[in-house]
Amino acid sequence: MGPLPSGDPGVSCSLASDARTERLAQWHDLIALGRVESTGYGYRIAFAPGGDLAERLARLSAAEVGCCTFFAFGIEISATDVVLRVEVPDDEEAAALGQLVFGSAPG
């Protein structure tokens, strides 16, 4: 994964305010189970494998691109961990939203 171009697609979230609060809580609940690393392109979040974690990450990632189309997600599954990679465009607004959701400024 590499950096997404600035401004493509547009940086905006289509969720209503109350739905954004709920979505943010869902992300924070999952992220609390992992280790977040800022990268040059966004975030790498590593989790211990097990249970339905990969499925939960996939569902939440798919829901997120439905409202915040500027984020891109990838999930890697191995015997030792499950890794969520989040690409954030090179855009000030996108970086601020990424920091709100995932916890720190990218790389």
Side-chain angles (χ1 to χ4, degrees):
M1 293 183 150
L4 295 174
S6 176
D8 184 24
V11 176
S12 65
C13 179
S14 63
L15 288 179
S17 180
D18 57 335
R20 280 187 209 157
T21 301
E22 182 178 334
R23 177 71 55 78
L24 191 57
Q26 292 171 333
W27 275 118
H28 287 174
D29 287 348
L30 271 178
I31 291 168
L33 303 174
R35 296 175 316 279
V36 178
E37 174 187 342
S38 294
T39 66
Y41 59 80
Y43 301 90
R44 180 184 185 277
I45 308 165
F47 302 87
D52 65 348
L53 177 68
E55 181 182 341
R56 290 171 59 200
L57 288 170
R59 277 196 314 261
L60 192 53
S61 298
E64 193 66 27
V65 296
C67 63
C68 294
T69 59
F70 55 92
F71 285 138
F73 298 90
I75 298 172
E76 300 169 9
I77 303 169
S78 72
T80 58
D81 60 12
V82 174
V83 175
L84 176 67
R85 295 187 184 273
V86 184
E87 290 186 23
V88 179
D90 185 12
D91 178 278
E92 198 172 302
E93 286 183 64
L97 285 170
Q99 186 171 0
L100 177 68
V101 175
F102 305 107
S104 61

